[in-house]
Structure formats: structure tokens, C-alpha cells
Amino acid sequence: MHRMAQRGLAIASTIALLVTAAGCSGDDGSGPGGASVPGVTDTEVTVGTHMPLTGPASAGYSKIAPATKAYFDYVNANGGVHGRKITYKIMDDGYNPANTQQVVRQLVLQDKVFAILNGLGTPTHTGVLDFLKSNRVPDLFVASGSRSWDQPDKYPGTFGFNPDYTVEGKILANYAKANLAGQKVCFLGQDDDFGRDSLAGVEKVLGAGAVAVKQTYVTSNTNVAPQIGAFKAAGCQVVVLATVPGFTALSIGTAARLGFKPQWLVSNVGADHPTLAKQLGAAAPLLEGMVGTNYLPMQNETANPWIQLFTKINKEHNGDAPFDGNTVYGMSVGYLFVQTLLAAGKDLTREKVIEAVQKGGFQGPGLVPLRFSAKDHSGYGGQRLSKVSGGVQSYFGPAYETDEADGAVNEYTATPAAPPANGVPTVS
Amino acid sequence: MSATRAALPPKHRPADTGDRPVDRRLGSTLLRHLAVVLAVGLLLVAVSYAVEPFRNFQLATVAAYLCATAGLTVLTGLNGQLSLGHGALMATGAYTVALCQNAFADRGMTGGWLLPLSLGAAIVSTVAVGAVVGVAAARLRGPYLAGVTLAVAIVVPALAVTFDGVFNGEQGLSVPVEPPPLSLGPYFPYERWQLWLTGAATLLALLLLANLIRSRYGRSFRAVRDDEVAARLAGIHVARTQVLAFVVSAATAGLGGALLAVLAQSVSPGAFSLTLSLFLLMAVVIGGLGRLTGALWGAVLLVALPDLTHSVTELLTLSPAVAQRLEGNLPLAIFGLTLIVVMIAAPGGVQGLLSRLGRGLLARWSARRS
């Protein structure tokens, strides 16, 4: 190589590094304004989120935030909320709590977002609760069913969205008790609050000693053969899965390889049929008979007005991406956030948004009620069971609601609301 | 034969690693280092008031990484031992701090002196682990050494998941850290306090390292790197020197990990994966092996690169699918490319290049004056 070229390359790479260093230590000059609300101007409100766009939990989940953004784009195209367009900053944390720390700090301190919306993951979001609290950032509609979000005294700005995992565990166990009585029930859960809360719910209904074998998995280890092997050896007939989609698929695939065919009862966060079918590829028929739960309209109910609305928005603003349960979920989150902004009024502040959520009374796509109040920061309060038959996932039976304590599992009979004519909520 | 010889600048230019005779420098080494540390400390305080909170947090993160890269550059650049396991040593320090702080919080103890105590405990525990690995490392050369340290990098994070009763698996532990002291005022920005804390700890570590490098021990490190037989003939105990280098390097890595845990107020195995260990090594090579200033460039790179690539992907209007694919992988690709370019164009790394440019300018300027 020529001396000149060598030197040129070296200088170029050094300059590149120096520029990064300068960029790192430079001042953006955007000091905090006077009494202005972070992330809010007369024409714009900026919110951010952390999502696993890569990594072990990205299967399926990576489509949630783009769907939420698509719904916001639709609302923006229809004039926004109180004249403000919604800007949604999506950060990838790879489902790694360490990265979540970094990206959430970037959103709050550098991008100065108004709120964090729908941050995904139990282990990831748990680590930023204190940071968001000490910076007084509204932490809305966390994408996880951990009970940690429902602590109004400790975390006044944090609100859940998903039905909590204990409620879900109770509903799944209730199904097992009624329809699979006398069969040996086993449990596989993620090794964090997600799995623990879910197991607590299952044991509340079935009794403390009723779960024959309890196994856990970690997302960094994609081998669940030991756990599934233990189930097979113990002769489990029913396996409850508190798993993210990738590990639902992995468990069902591994079981098939071992010649083990129990009745699967799967958490709503890991039971979306299109996502699982895509993961399993040619082995998708293994999903036949799987019982799952959900609380939003099923993605294949083409007669449902919500699904029609979301399909239309998906075509117009999301590049017609494959439509699945994650799309429905993401857009439902977007709808709820727009309702919240509307309820908070034209003069938008962080306090007003939190008040608006606590006031509750939101009617949306959900099949069960949202429980928000000053005393309750958990999200949806129940679920409905679904089953895969003939390669199609569909609801059966009534919707159920229950609490996270020892309350009974009751049927919930109210009819869901219909969407507004143009798909944008109006002040209720 | 050292594995890192190839990465060092060729011998026909005097390297800037303190191999030069001392008479070129003024005054006592200790005083000079103290003056530099003091100046940098004052500069940091000034900067912490000038820039916004997020930049303060980033600088604090640079400081934490700098602890680890500085130790690694001493081990690999000066002593010629390759380590692929420094991420695991950082994890050791981080978890120690988490366990200590949680133990203090559970007992209801509060006070400003608890955090230094926890940091001290983190250094002690990492020194213990480093000594064990170091004794093994002193018996190994080249690829075998790389293999052992690689095993450490994989085993330590896995321990956190295996013993989830203590370490809470992948969710990790939270690290309770007290707010800034009230004497600084009720509205003192937390991120500025973080920068002060990590900056002070890092500067102290760097001062000790710089003195060590310029001392008898530093000279024996280099002697062992360059020629073990000659070093033995000169009366240097080779194995002991190697273990010492490893322990010193482990101590700084442990401090770096502990500071990271304090910054993030949480610790989880995902933060200390094998990727981090490899990143640390790449960072010190790109920065310039065997120089503390090189370690600084490396630490800056570690923090700036993910941030920069994120901005780049935001600037480009990509389809969501492509953006998603780039998101996690682009930093890795850029890191690799930078490493290759730097190795081809400037084997001495960024710092080697800068000092060469500096010397060239100085020569030109003095030629013009005469």
C-alpha cells in the first residue's frame, strides 16, 4: 500500500473518531426551557419507548411499536390531538436490561420525551422504574403483565396495560380445573417476575402443591430440552407456559422432538398464532389444540369493526406489514394513548396525563374492562380463552375477569365498544 | 513470544510507552502525574456544569469503561497477556457492589461512606478472582491463554443465571444508590453527581496505574513482554510479574464494572456478555495498545459508537425491516471495520497516530524557527 494512501486512511479514521468524541462532549445547547413541559410544543408531543427489535424476544414483539406508530401517523393525518402531532421514538434494547437503562436515559435526558409509552418487558422495564420516577416521567401502559406496575404509592406515574400475569394464571388454571380435571399439571415460566407472577396465579386456583413439575428458562439459553424432558419424565398431561413467543415455539417444537404431546395452556404474551406459526415454519401444525388467552380482538376476525379499522391503517401507514396479534396490540396501545391525550385536555402537562389515566372510563377494543383508578394502576382486568383448530386461532366460551388476590374467576358479559366512525377517539 | 507483539508499532520509531530515557521529561514523575490528574479533574468539573445531563451520564459511562480499558491495556499492551475475560471481571465487581449496597439498604444503613466501602469490596473481590485466573494465566501462552480467559468470560455471567437465588437470574439486581449529598443543594442534577463520582474514582485509578507503569514494576512488565528469557536473566520473577499484572488489571476492571452498576442502578448478566469482553479488547487495540491515552480513546469509542450508529440509522430513511436488522448489528460491523482499517493504516492505534502527527508538527515548527 502506498505511504500516502496509508496516511490518508489513518487520518480519515482518526478524524472520524475525533468527530465522535467531539459529538460526545459537545453541548447541544438546548438547555431546559423555562416552565415548558418536556416533549410538548403547540404542534407536537414526543413520546418514546424501548422495544426488543433484536434479540431473544424480538420474534413478534418487534412489530408492536411500528404498529403503534402507524396508528399515530393515522391520527396525525387526521389532524392530531388538540392540534398536536404525535412523534413516537422507538429504541431497541434487545430485551437486555442493561441496554434498557441506556436507551431510556437517552429518551428522557437527551430526546426529552414527554412520556415513556408501552416500554416492553418485565425484566427490562423493572430496571428503569426508579429512574422514571425520580425524573417524574409518566410511564404509561407498560407492555408486560407484571404486578410491579401496579404500585400507585411507590410509582405514581407507572401504569400497566396487559392483564397481570397472576390474573392470567388464575384464568388458565380455572380452565384446567373445569375441563382437564384430574390431569397432571406442570409449569414452565421465564425466570423472572413474569414466570413467578404467573405461577402464583396458577397455584391460587389449583392449590399450592397441585403443580407437579415447575421449570424455568432464561432467554439467553435457547435449549429447553432439559425442562421439557423433565415434564415428559414426570408424565405431565397439561403444561402451562409463561413464555415469550420464541420460547413458546421452542417448547412446543422440543416437545414434538421428544415425542411428548401434552395440552398446552399458553400466556397471552406468547400465544399469537401467526407469530408462532412463522417461528415453527413447516412444523406449524404442532400448534393444533393449543389453548391461549387474549383480551383484544383476534387478528383473524375480519367481521370485527376494530380489526377492519386496524387493517386499513396497517395498509395505509405500516407498509401493509403481515397483520397479526402484535399489530392489533400495538394499535390498541396507540388508541388508548390518544384517548388519554384527549382526556388530559389542550393544556398538556405530565400531571394532567396521569390524572386522566387515573380517572379511567376508557372504552376501546378490549373485551374486558380497563381497571385504571387512583388506587389501581393495572391495565386490563381479564381475558378470554382461545384455541387453535384447523390452523385457525379463535375465541371460545365467555370472557373472564378476576383480581390478583384470592377472588373468584367470574364471567364478564358486557359487550365491547364499537370504534368511532373515523377511527379517532373523541372526548368522552 | 507474546501474542500482542504484532499489534505493537514496529521498532524503528520510538514508541511512546515510556521506553524513552527519562531525562527528556521534567521534574518528578509523581508530581507531574498529580498535576495532570488535578488539571483533568478541574476540567471535568467545568465540563459537568457546561453540558446537559445526558452528556454527563455518557461521560460518566466513558469514565467507568476507561477504568476497565486502562487496566486491560496495561495487561495486554505492557505485559503481553491477552485477556478475553475482562467483561467477566467487570461483572464480578458489579455484582459485588449490588450485593453490598443491597445488604446495607436491608439493614437500614445510610451514609455517604457506604458507597466507597462497596466499591472497595468490589475491588477486593475482583482481585481475588483475578489472582486465581492470573495464576492460571501465568502458566499459559498465546491461544491457550485466550481460551482460558474466554471460558471465564462465558462462565461468570452464566453463574448469575445458575444461582438465581442470589443473583436473580437475567433480571439481575437493583443497586440502591443515594441521591447527591444535600450540601450540594436540593436541585443538584443527579447525572452531574454521577459524573463527579465516577470521574473521581477513575482519575484515582489512572493516577495509580500511571505511576505503576513508570515504576520498576512497569519496567518488569515490559521486560517480560519483550523477552522472558532476558527478563529471567535480569533477575525478574516472570510468573510473579505476570500474576501481578493480571491482578492490577483485574482490580481496575472490577472498579469499572462496579461504577457501571452504580451508574445504571442495576446489574444484570446481559450487560457483561462475551461481546463486552471482545469490545473492550477491540477498543484498546483501536485506541492504541499499551498507552493510557489509547485506553481513553477506546472508552470513548465504546460509548459513542452505539449512539452514533443509532443516529445514522435514524438519518437514513430505511424500510422498517432493514432498520431493524441494522439496529443491533451495525455497531458491531463498524467496530470490526474500524479495527481492520486502524490495523492496516496505523498499527499504533489512534493514540499512536496522534503522537506521530504531533511529533511531525513539532519537528516542522522547530525547523522553521531555526
Side-chain angles (χ1 to χ4, degrees):
Chain A
M1 194 188 256
H2 279 293
R3 168 81 32 117
M4 284 295 285
Q6 226 180 31
R7 205 162 279 175
L9 255 182
I11 289 170
S13 59
T14 308
I15 285 174
L17 273 185
L18 275 174
V19 168
T20 19
C24 240
S25 55
D27 186 2
D28 288 2
S30 54
S36 66
V37 184
V40 180
T41 67
D42 289 341
T43 55
E44 188 185 36
V45 54
T46 307
V47 286
T49 190
H50 62 89
M51 285 278 162
L53 303 179
T54 54
S58 62
Y61 292 170
S62 61
K63 302 166 76 168
I64 291 173
T68 310
K69 191 171 189 302
Y71 183 77
F72 289 158
D73 289 345
Y74 174 77
V75 172
N76 292 345
N78 281 286
V81 185
H82 293 307
R84 291 188 186 95
K85 301 249 182 295
I86 305 170
T87 304
Y88 196 39
K89 286 187 172 285
I90 304 164
M91 299 292 266
D92 177 30
D93 63 8
Y95 208 63
N96 174 346
N99 294 349
T100 314
Q101 297 282 353
Q102 290 279 348
V103 298
V104 168
R105 275 181 171 77
Q106 189 166 345
L107 286 169
V108 171
L109 299 173
Q110 190 184 31
D111 300 341
K112 307 235 176 349
V113 294
F114 170 68
I116 295 289
L117 172 66
N118 199 224
L120 190 145
T122 306
T124 46
H125 198 80
T126 304
V128 292
L129 282 176
D130 288 309
F131 170 75
L132 292 174
K133 176 191 171 182
S134 59
N135 281 269
R136 296 197 181 84
V137 181
D139 178 19
L140 306 177
F141 317 136
V142 182
S144 144
S146 167
R147 286 180 295 175
S148 310
W149 324 141
D150 181 20
Q151 302 182 68
D153 300 337
K154 199 173 169 194
Y155 300 113
T158 297
F159 296 87
F161 182 83
N162 303 18
D164 74 55
Y165 296 126
T166 306
V167 164
E168 176 176 77
K170 282 170 77 175
I171 290 172
L172 284 172
N174 190 54
Y175 171 81
K177 201 173 174 176
N179 301 286
L180 307 165
Q183 298 199 16
K184 197 175 234 187
V185 179
C186 302
F187 181 90
L188 174 67
Q190 194 165 289
D191 192 8
D192 52 33
D193 291 347
F194 169 19
R196 284 191 282 267
D197 286 2
S198 185
L199 180 60
V202 171
E203 290 188 328
K204 271 189 202 303
V205 170
L206 295 180
V211 180
V213 184
K214 304 166 198 169
Q215 293 282 333
T216 58
Y217 73 91
V218 292
T219 53
S220 58
N221 180 357
T222 51
N223 175 21
V224 292
Q227 292 93 323
I228 304 292
F231 293 151
K232 190 186 174 186
C236 300
Q237 294 154 297
V238 179
V239 177
V240 180
L241 292 180
T243 47
V244 295
F247 280 80
T248 308
L250 201 60
S251 305
I252 292 176
T254 307
R257 258 209 339 266
L258 298 174
F260 171 54
K261 283 240 161 104
Q263 170 64 56
W264 302 101
L265 306 182
V266 188
S267 161
N268 78 89
V269 297
D272 179 50
H273 185 263
T275 305
L276 297 175
K278 192 175 162 209
Q279 285 276 301
L280 286 165
L286 293 174
L287 297 166
E288 198 64 25
M290 178 187 90
V291 171
T293 58
N294 199 344
Y295 49 98
L296 297 168
M298 196 62 76
Q299 36 79 29
N300 51 20
E301 295 173 344
T302 43
N304 183 313
W306 289 102
I307 297 297
Q308 288 165 357
L309 169 71
F310 291 160
T311 310
K312 184 181 104 174
I313 295 172
N314 191 51
K315 272 202 181 69
E316 290 170 6
H317 296 281
N318 203 19
D320 207 8
F323 192 86
D324 62 18
N326 300 296
T327 322
V328 177
Y329 179 96
M331 294 205 186
S332 305
V333 170
Y335 187 86
L336 180 59
F337 182 66
V338 171
Q339 285 179 303
T340 309
L341 282 187
L342 272 172
K346 182 143 185 59
D347 184 16
L348 185 61
T349 64
R350 284 176 164 173
E351 294 77 18
K352 281 189 179 159
V353 152
I354 289 169
E355 274 167 34
V357 182
Q358 290 193 151
K359 217 173 94 195
F362 299 109
Q363 291 292 325
L367 312 179
V368 286
L370 281 157
R371 297 197 284 199
F372 297 131
S373 72
K375 291 266 171 290
D376 193 340
H377 282 201
S378 67
Y380 279 104
Q383 288 177 336
R384 194 176 170 196
L385 294 153
S386 70
K387 194 169 199 145
V388 179
S389 58
V392 177
Q393 188 172 36
S394 48
Y395 281 125
F396 68 92
Y400 294 97
E401 64 171 340
T402 182
D403 60 7
E404 63 211 46
D406 299 316
V409 178
N410 305 314
E411 291 185 17
Y412 178 75
T413 47
T415 41
N422 70 340
V424 181
T426 47
V427 182
S428 44
Chain B
M1 189 60 209
S2 86
T4 54
R5 191 72 81 70
L8 285 172
K11 276 277 165 268
H12 63 251
R13 347 176 247 274
D16 200 5
T17 53
D19 302 41
R20 276 183 290 171
V22 184
D23 59 335
R24 298 266 303 264
R25 302 179 184 262
L26 308 168
S28 117
T29 311
L30 179 63
L31 281 179
R32 200 174 55 243
H33 287 169
L34 271 174
V36 170
V37 163
L38 207 66
V40 173
L42 287 173
L43 185 73
L44 264 187
V45 171
V47 165
S48 75
Y49 277 97
V51 301
E52 54 181 76
F54 183 64
R55 295 295 177 212
N56 270 336
F57 178 75
Q58 279 190 311
L59 280 175
T61 317
V62 169
Y65 277 127
L66 176 53
C67 273
T69 51
L72 186 59
T73 215
V74 167
L75 179 71
T76 307
L78 293 184
N79 192 234
Q81 298 191 76
L82 189 71
S83 169
L84 299 177
H86 261 53
L89 294 171
M90 288 177 83
T92 310
Y95 271 98
T96 310
V97 150
L99 292 172
C100 286
Q101 290 291 90
N102 280 316
F104 291 144
D106 290 344
R107 285 173 183 70
M109 293 156 76
T110 53
W113 52 276
L114 288 176
L115 188 61
L117 205 68
S118 299
L119 291 176
I123 293 173
V124 169
S125 72
T126 321
V127 161
V129 173
V132 174
V133 180
V135 169
R139 296 164 176 263
L140 297 167
R141 299 288 173 271
Y144 305 102
L145 175 60
V148 164
T149 50
L150 186 69
V152 173
I154 291 167
V155 165
V156 170
L159 284 180
V161 173
T162 311
F163 299 103
D164 53 359
V166 185
F167 302 118
N168 198 22
E170 289 200 329
Q171 197 167 324
L173 302 164
S174 66
V175 183
V177 184
E178 295 195 17
L182 273 175
S183 53
L184 292 166
Y187 299 112
F188 194 80
Y190 188 64
E191 284 74 24
R192 186 181 300 154
W193 172 241
Q194 287 181 314
L195 177 56
W196 286 16
L197 209 72
T198 49
T202 306
L203 281 176
L204 186 65
L206 285 180
L207 176 68
L208 296 175
L209 271 184
N211 288 337
L212 185 86
I213 290 171
R214 313 272 306 149
S215 73
R216 188 165 66 93
Y217 293 105
R219 284 192 295 279
S220 17
F221 285 174
R222 281 189 288 274
V224 169
R225 174 196 71 196
D226 290 336
D227 193 331
E228 280 184 28
V229 177
R232 224 176 246 119
L233 284 171
I236 295 172
H237 195 302
V238 171
R240 208 175 291 163
T241 308
Q242 286 182 320
V243 174
L244 180 73
F246 212 103
V247 165
V248 166
S249 174
T252 53
L255 178 64
L259 292 175
L260 269 189
V262 169
L263 284 179
Q265 293 172 49
S266 78
V267 48
S268 60
F272 304 100
S273 58
L274 175 63
T275 321
L276 173 66
S277 297
L278 298 177
F279 263 1
L280 288 174
L281 195 64
M282 282 205 274
V284 294
V285 171
I286 293 173
L289 256 186
R291 299 177 177 85
L292 292 184
T293 34
L296 171 64
W297 294 120
V300 167
L301 198 66
L302 280 173
V303 175
L305 205 58
D307 196 15
L308 193 77
T309 44
H310 183 80
S311 324
V312 168
T313 37
E314 269 194 340
L315 286 178
L316 305 171
T317 39
L318 299 162
S319 72
V322 177
Q324 243 178 67
R325 249 179 238 123
L326 285 181
E327 182 66 64
N329 304 318
L330 200 60
L332 275 168
I334 291 187
F335 229 123
L337 281 173
T338 316
L339 184 68
I340 293 169
V341 168
V342 166
M343 281 300 92
I344 292 171
V350 176
Q351 187 51 38
L353 186 78
L354 286 178
S355 49
R356 230 166 68 202
L357 282 175
R359 272 203 299 277
L361 286 175
L362 205 70
R364 231 172 257 178
W365 183 70
S366 53
R368 204 176 302 163
R369 281 194 42 185
S370 55

